[in-house]
């Protein structure tokens, strides 16, 4: 089949070029010619526009001020534009009055805007499309125009699906021999991916604890990529355009995938779900490869991969907590485990060099995915090194660790340098959180809850305190019990002893019996450790440790030639895990509190963040009612152009010096200059907004830009060069014992 591979690639390229050419000929929007007069109201009259004034109506309750036009729409994608004026937050809701064939959220008409563009999909033909505008009886409201279009978003999505299909075909061709020889392994891996991804079939998203935060991160990346910015540091989308440096504090290299999907017209919910699907695929494939290298047994690797992938806390983290950064680290933790295992089980210098690179790669990815997981891993690695002190003090081990740390620093510079720069030079509210986050012990897991087989939680008012679903799962807990038994009967006890102890430590750290409150208030190191916020986050590390323990126990059974017992345990593990996952899916599919965010208007950008990365002098609540525009006392200001974090204005000043207030939060990285290349000093204004002082009689154009400092750019170049170097040397110096072809 490889004989025709070049021909297949050329054919695929031709098909893509033809499709893109045809796509460019498509009309992007088709006006459906609706009129404001097609809407109706029980309270006001249409007079070219729909208008209501405060105190005009004799009611104190929110009311549907206009609704209609109850028109027929065919299955497809649509764009709705609403032009309005309001001085208070109102509600806007496109919907189908009698069916659920339009799954979209209500959204807000904000007073600082005068237009909302809302995209939505019609899943099946409908005959009663309705746009409902609700008035909250505060302030004035004018509806000036409503326009409905049919768009061609589906054709962009089809392009992505064609590319994905071609990639799949190419991979099958490249790995045809391996697939043919090990077809059952690929079938099982695909089945595992399918099982853990089943909740994605459910329409909508469960309104998990972090869902809007992560959707806003994706949307922020998408908007900056659309503006031609890469890598993204300051996202102008956040906080109604005032900006937010989420990408500096929270690594998001994995989120560029869903952000790219947004560029191809996927809705935010589709992009998010495809991102989870990709993470699930990577978890299963990477964990199988790594576990197979560790145990040198495909069947054991498959069982451990299944248990690791379907662990209850991981499923909870993905679909209920919506902690996508924390969950994504599951891709890289098996790589970390393989690297550590290799360091302690080989003396081959070439293999150790590769292990150091593998360890650095895993840590770099985790650092750029979830900082708190990085902190926990470092803490657990220190405990591990203490428990294995004799082996750790080996000169080869120490040398490998030092090299790995050096490589990690070089690989991570592109993220770490801006992060440290902001931490040292920009005072944000998360610095205050570090001082306040000390008492976390009460929300640790109760030990009895580790034995729970309940699959929720969906009642999450106090779920983190009372709900007994914070557990790695009954299979992994019984694995720990088996570990204690095998301490007495196993011939190769070293790995089982170590993993039993390490697993017990992580479970204790996750619980409410570990003295978190004491160490958080009485020790410097403890104050750092309690920043994990929730002790049960250590379950994300207990799961891989218990999975490894399960693998070594199965290896011991295989070694003891207990074939029947080995098979029986494997069948029991798979059956119990699948049944528990089935209960979770059943409960998940019967849950009704789902959201359907399509794009920016349905995410509510003002409210998605807890404000951890806001300047400590900022109170955003005072800004949301204002229109975003530059203001001054004595100057005439005109916005020439605004795009993302860039704004060009013209300024005409009278005989008095003046101050210009820009509608952006003042973070390090902004620069302001005029046509004559004169740079203005940026100072903090009220609420941390960007202010500049201009001289009397000033007349000219002023430009505001966010520019990464030169040393940020240098760190990006160094990381890129070093990662490229590592990839090249890895390819050219393949050695047996770690990763083969």
């Amino acid at each position: 089949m490889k004989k025709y591979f070049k021909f297949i690639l050329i054919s695929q390229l031709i098909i893509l070029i033809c499709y893109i050419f045809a796509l460019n000929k498509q009309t992007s929007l088709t006006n459906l010619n609706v009129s404001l007069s097609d809407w109706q109201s029980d309270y006001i009259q249409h007079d070219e526009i729909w208008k209501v004034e405060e105190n005009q109506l004799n009611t104190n309750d929110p009311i549907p001020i206009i609704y209609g036009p109850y028109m027929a729409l065919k299955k497809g994608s649509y764009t709705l534009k609403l032009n309005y004026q309001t001085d208070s937050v109102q509600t806007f809701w496109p919907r189908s009055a009698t069916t659920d064939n339009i799954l979209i959220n209500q959204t807000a008409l904000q007073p600082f805007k005068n237009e909302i563009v809302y995209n939505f999909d019609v899943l099946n033909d409908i005959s009663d499309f309705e746009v409902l505008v609700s008035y909250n009886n505060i302030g004035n409201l004018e509806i000036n125009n409503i326009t409905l279009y049919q768009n061609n978003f589906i054709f962009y999505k089809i392009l992505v699906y064609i590319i994905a299909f071609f990639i799949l075909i190419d991979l099958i061709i490249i790995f045809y021999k391996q697939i043919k020889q090990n077809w059952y392994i690929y079938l099982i891996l695909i089945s595992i991916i399918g099982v853990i991804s089943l909740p994605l079939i459910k329409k909508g998203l469960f309104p998990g604890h972090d869902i809007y935060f992560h959707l806003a991160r994706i949307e922020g990346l998408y908007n900056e990529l659309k503006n031609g910015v890469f890598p993204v540091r300051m996202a102008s989308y956040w906080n109604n355009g005032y900006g937010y440096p989420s990408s500096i504090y929270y690594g998001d290299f994995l989120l560029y995938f869903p952000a790219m999907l947004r560029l191809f017209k996927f809705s935010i919910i589709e992009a998010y779900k495809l991102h989870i699907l990709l993470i699930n695929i990577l978890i299963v494939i990477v964990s199988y490869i790594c576990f197979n290298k560790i145990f040198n047994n495909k069947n054991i690797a498959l069982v451990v991969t299944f248990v690791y992938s379907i662990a209850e806390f991981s499923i909870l983290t993905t679909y209920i907590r919506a902690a996508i950064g924390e969950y994504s680290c599951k891709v890289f933790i098996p790589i970390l485990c393989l690297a550590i295992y290799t360091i302690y089980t080989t003396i081959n210098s070439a293999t150790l060099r590769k292990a150091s690179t593998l360890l650095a790669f895993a840590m770099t990815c985790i650092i750029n995915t979830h900082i708190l997981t990085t902190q926990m891993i470092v803490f657990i690695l220190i405990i591990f090194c203490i428990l294995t002190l004799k082996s750790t003090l080996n000169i080869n081990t120490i040398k490998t660790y030092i090299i790995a740390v050096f490589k990690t620093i070089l690989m991570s510079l592109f993220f770490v340098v801006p992060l440290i720069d902001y931490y040292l030079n920009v005072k944000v509210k998360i610095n205050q959180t570090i001082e306040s986050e000390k008492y976390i012990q009460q929300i640790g897991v109760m030990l009895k809850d580790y034995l729970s087989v309940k699959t929720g939680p969906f009642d999450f008012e106090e779920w983190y305190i009372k709900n007994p679903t914070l557990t790695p799962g009954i299979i992994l807990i019984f694995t720990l019990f088996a570990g204690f038994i095998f301490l007495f009967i196993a011939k190769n006890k070293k790995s089982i002893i170590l993993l039993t102890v390490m697993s017990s430590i992580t479970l204790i750290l996750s619980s409410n019996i570990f003295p978190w409150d004491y160490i958080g208030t009485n020790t410097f190191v403890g104050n750092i450790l309690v920043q994990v916020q929730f002790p049960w986050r250590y379950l994300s590390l207990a799961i891989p440790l218990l999975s490894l323990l399960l693998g070594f126990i199965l290896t011991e059974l295989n070694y003891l030639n207990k074939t029947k017992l080995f098979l029986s345990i494997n069948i029991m593990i798979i059956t119990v895990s699948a049944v528990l996952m089935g209960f979770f899916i059943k409960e998940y599919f019967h849950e009704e509190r789902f959201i359907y965010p399509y794009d920016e208007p349905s995410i509510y950008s003002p409210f998605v963040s807890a404000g951890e990365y806001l300047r400590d002098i900022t109170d955003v609540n005072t800004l949301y009612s204002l229109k975003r525009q530059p203001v001054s006392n004595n100057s005439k200001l005109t916005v020439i152009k605004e795009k993302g974090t860039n704004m060009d204005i013209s300024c005409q000043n009278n005989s008095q010096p003046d101050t210009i207030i820009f509608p952006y939060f003042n973070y390090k990285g902004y620069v302001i200059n005029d046509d004559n290349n004169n740079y203005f000093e940026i100072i903090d204004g009220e609420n941390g907004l960007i202010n500049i002082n201009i001289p009397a009689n000033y007349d000219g154009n002023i430009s505001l830009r966010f520019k990464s400092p030169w040393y940020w750019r240098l760190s990006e170049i160094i990381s890129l060069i070093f990662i490229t170097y590592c990839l090249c040397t890895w390819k050219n110096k393949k050695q047996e014992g770690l990763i083969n072809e």
Side-chain angles (χ1 to χ4, degrees):
M1 190 176 289
K2 288 185 178 180
K3 181 179 179 181
Y4 304 101
F5 191 42
K6 288 184 178 179
F7 172 76
I8 293 173
L9 286 177
I10 293 172
S11 301
Q12 292 174 350
L13 182 60
I14 292 173
I15 293 172
L16 286 175
I17 292 173
C18 293
Y19 188 88
I20 293 172
F21 179 79
L23 183 60
N24 288 332
K25 295 293 184 180
Q26 287 280 338
T27 303
S28 58
L29 295 171
T30 302
N31 196 327
L32 297 185
N33 297 319
V34 294
S35 170
L36 269 181
S37 60
D38 295 332
W39 272 257
Q40 52 189 295
S41 175
D42 298 331
Y43 301 92
I44 57 177
Q45 297 294 321
H46 174 252
D47 184 12
E48 295 187 356
I49 63 173
W50 293 98
K51 182 177 180 179
V52 60
E53 296 180 351
E54 189 168 17
N55 300 322
Q56 177 181 340
L57 305 177
N58 187 23
T59 178
N60 295 321
D61 299 321
I63 57 173
I65 197 67
I66 67 168
Y67 51 89
Y70 302 109
M71 63 185 297
L73 293 181
K74 294 182 178 180
K75 178 180 179 180
S77 297
Y78 294 85
T79 299
L80 183 69
K81 292 184 180 181
L82 178 71
N83 297 96
Y84 67 94
Q85 297 286 339
T86 184
D87 46 20
S88 180
V89 177
Q90 314 297 342
T91 305
F92 166 69
W93 190 11
R95 64 178 187 172
S96 173
T98 59
T99 72
D100 61 354
N101 285 315
I102 303 180
L103 301 177
I104 47 184
N105 292 340
Q106 298 184 42
T107 191
L109 301 180
Q110 301 284 2
F112 52 82
K113 294 182 178 180
N114 53 29
E115 181 182 76
I116 186 170
V117 179
Y118 204 111
N119 298 301
F120 62 94
D121 290 332
V122 175
L123 306 182
N124 292 294
D125 294 354
I126 60 174
S127 59
D128 57 352
F129 174 67
E130 175 188 39
V131 178
L132 186 150
V133 178
S134 180
Y135 174 62
N136 69 2
N137 284 288
I138 301 175
N140 302 322
L141 171 64
E142 293 182 11
I143 306 298
N144 301 311
N145 191 31
I146 300 177
T147 314
L148 183 63
Y149 304 90
Q150 185 167 18
N151 59 52
N152 65 348
F153 289 2
I154 185 63
F155 297 106
Y156 289 91
K157 298 176 186 179
I158 290 173
L159 175 60
V160 174
Y161 291 134
I162 291 173
I163 294 173
F165 177 72
F166 285 167
I167 291 174
L168 178 62
I169 294 297
D170 295 340
L171 289 174
I172 292 174
I173 293 173
I174 293 171
F175 297 103
Y176 178 73
K177 287 185 178 179
Q178 293 92 322
I179 294 173
K180 186 177 181 181
Q181 294 172 357
N182 302 286
W183 62 270
Y184 75 96
I185 292 176
Y186 287 91
L187 184 61
I188 293 173
L189 294 178
I190 291 171
S191 300
I192 296 173
I193 293 168
V195 169
I196 63 176
S197 301
L198 273 175
L200 297 176
I201 299 174
K202 170 82 173 182
K203 295 176 182 177
L205 292 172
F206 184 75
H209 313 129
D210 296 337
I211 187 67
Y212 281 113
F213 173 71
H214 293 301
L215 294 182
R217 291 174 64 207
I218 296 171
E219 198 69 6
L221 290 176
Y222 156 66
N223 275 275
E224 297 311 310
L225 290 176
K226 190 169 58 175
N227 293 332
V229 177
F230 181 83
V232 177
R233 301 297 187 182
M234 181 67 62
S236 59
Y237 161 76
W238 289 79
N239 298 308
N240 297 319
Y242 285 91
Y244 201 56
S246 59
S247 295
I248 292 176
Y249 288 96
Y250 201 134
D252 50 18
F253 81 105
L254 285 175
L255 292 186
Y256 280 95
F257 170 69
M260 290 290 292
L261 291 178
R262 291 286 289 122
L263 290 175
F264 285 89
K265 311 301 183 182
F266 282 81
S267 68
I268 187 69
I269 189 172
E270 291 169 332
Y272 182 83
K273 285 189 171 186
L274 288 173
H275 174 62
I276 293 179
L277 177 61
L278 176 64
I279 295 300
N280 287 343
I281 292 171
L282 291 176
I283 286 172
V284 172
I285 293 175
V286 170
S287 58
Y288 171 74
I289 292 172
C290 294
F291 292 146
N292 190 33
K293 288 295 174 182
I294 291 173
F295 303 116
N296 196 28
N297 185 301
K298 294 178 181 178
N299 294 326
I300 292 176
L302 286 171
V303 173
V304 176
T305 297
F306 180 67
V307 172
Y308 175 72
S309 304
I310 207 171
E312 189 169 327
F313 180 72
S314 298
I315 300 299
L316 175 84
T317 297
T318 312
Y319 299 110
I320 305 300
R321 292 180 56 218
I324 194 63
E326 191 174 333
Y327 177 68
S328 298
C329 288
K330 282 196 71 171
V331 176
F332 311 109
I333 289 176
I335 302 175
L336 180 73
C337 295
L338 174 60
I340 298 295
Y341 175 80
T342 304
I343 291 171
Y344 284 86
T345 57
T346 186
I347 57 174
N348 183 282
S349 58
T351 304
L352 286 173
R353 282 197 300 273
K354 282 199 169 186
S356 69
T357 302
L358 205 62
L359 178 56
F361 171 76
M363 286 304 299
T364 298
C365 292
I366 293 169
I367 289 169
N368 283 274
T369 302
H370 197 243
I371 290 291
L372 287 179
T373 299
T374 306
Q375 175 188 305
M376 291 189 297
I377 286 175
V378 171
F379 180 45
I380 293 299
L381 279 177
I382 291 172
I383 296 175
F384 173 82
C385 289
I386 293 172
L387 293 176
T388 59
L389 191 60
K390 183 177 179 180
S391 299
T392 301
L393 293 179
N394 180 283
I395 186 63
N396 288 330
T397 304
I398 295 174
K399 181 180 177 181
T400 304
Y401 273 128
I402 292 173
I403 294 172
V405 170
F406 177 72
K407 290 179 177 179
T408 302
I409 292 172
L410 290 179
M411 288 183 184
S412 304
L413 277 179
F414 73 97
F415 173 68
V416 172
V417 168
L419 175 63
I420 294 176
D421 190 16
Y422 260 47
Y423 180 78
L424 296 176
N425 298 305
V426 181
K427 293 182 179 180
V428 295
K429 294 187 178 182
I430 197 173
N431 297 338
Q432 301 170 358
T433 304
I434 289 176
E435 291 302 318
S436 63
E437 204 68 71
K438 294 180 183 292
Y439 299 98
I440 66 172
Q441 186 171 337
Q442 64 168 335
I443 54 177
V445 186
M446 292 184 286
L447 293 183
K448 67 181 182 65
D449 292 342
Y450 286 140
L451 295 172
S452 172
V453 293
K454 186 180 177 183
T455 54
F458 290 97
D459 179 14
F460 64 105
E461 292 295 326
E462 299 183 29
W463 72 276
Y464 51 85
I465 297 176
K466 297 180 179 179
N467 201 289
T469 58
L470 296 172
T471 171
I474 198 69
I475 290 296
L476 290 178
I477 293 301
F478 275 104
T479 295
L480 181 63
F481 295 154
F484 284 108
I485 295 173
F486 271 78
L487 295 182
F488 303 99
I489 64 174
K491 293 185 178 180
N492 182 19
K493 296 182 180 180
K494 188 174 180 180
S495 297
I496 293 178
I497 292 173
L498 181 61
L499 286 167
T500 301
V501 172
M502 290 294 298
S503 299
S504 301
I505 290 173
T506 52
L507 290 174
I508 291 172
L509 288 170
S510 304
S511 73
N512 61 358
I513 68 170
F514 186 78
W516 284 109
D517 293 350
Y518 177 81
I519 68 169
T521 54
N522 293 282
T523 65
F524 173 76
V525 174
N527 188 37
I528 295 175
L529 293 177
V530 295
Q531 301 313 312
V532 73
Q533 296 178 307
F534 307 111
W536 37 258
R537 276 196 164 123
Y538 277 92
L539 290 176
S540 62
L541 302 186
I543 288 169
L545 290 171
L546 289 166
S547 299
L548 288 171
L549 177 59
L550 174 63
F552 280 108
I553 289 174
L554 293 177
T555 301
E556 187 67 21
L557 286 175
N558 201 33
Y559 177 79
L560 294 173
N561 202 25
K562 302 288 186 180
T563 305
K564 290 184 178 179
L565 181 60
F566 176 80
L567 291 175
S568 299
I569 290 176
N570 284 342
I571 293 171
M572 182 268 295
I573 289 171
I574 293 170
T575 302
V576 172
S577 299
V579 168
L580 291 177
M581 184 65 185
F583 285 137
F584 173 86
I585 292 171
K586 179 182 178 181
E587 192 171 342
Y588 189 85
F589 273 63
H590 280 83
E591 175 60 33
E592 296 181 354
R593 289 174 293 164
F594 274 68
I595 58 173
Y596 310 97
Y598 194 99
D599 54 6
E600 179 179 340
S602 55
I603 301 178
Y604 300 116
S605 70
F607 313 109
V608 294
S609 171
E612 303 98 323
Y613 314 136
L614 286 172
R615 296 282 308 280
D616 58 357
I617 58 175
T618 300
D619 179 9
V620 294
N621 294 319
T622 63
L623 300 173
Y624 291 148
S625 61
L626 303 176
K627 293 188 182 297
R628 286 192 64 256
Q629 57 188 13
V631 296
S632 67
N633 292 325
N634 303 307
S635 304
K636 180 182 178 181
L637 305 177
T638 304
V639 177
I640 301 172
K641 182 180 180 181
E642 182 179 7
K643 186 178 181 181
T645 55
N646 300 339
M647 176 177 280
D648 297 332
I649 66 171
S650 67
C651 174
Q652 294 178 328
N653 185 31
N654 58 21
S655 58
Q656 297 294 324
D658 200 5
T659 298
I660 299 177
I661 303 173
F662 284 88
Y664 293 92
F665 292 137
N666 182 19
Y667 287 100
K668 183 173 183 177
Y670 281 104
V671 294
I672 299 179
N673 65 301
D674 62 13
D675 291 342
N676 297 319
N677 210 30
N678 297 315
Y679 283 82
F680 296 86
E681 180 185 1
I682 297 177
I683 56 177
D684 279 336
E686 185 179 358
N687 271 322
L689 294 181
I690 291 176
N691 283 18
I692 63 170
N693 294 322
I694 58 172
N697 300 312
Y698 181 87
D699 188 355
N701 296 330
I702 299 174
S703 298
L704 176 145
R705 299 285 185 272
F706 185 87
K707 293 184 178 180
S708 296
W710 65 268
Y711 48 92
W712 291 15
R713 291 301 187 191
L714 179 62
S715 67
E716 293 164 8
I717 293 171
I718 292 173
S719 291
L720 179 61
I721 291 174
F722 186 71
I723 292 172
T724 303
Y725 166 77
C726 289
L727 290 173
C728 292
T729 54
W730 185 280
K731 179 178 178 61
N732 295 332
K733 297 180 181 180
K734 290 175 181 175
Q735 298 288 337
E736 293 292 332
L738 189 54
I739 295 288
N740 303 333
E741 264 186 85

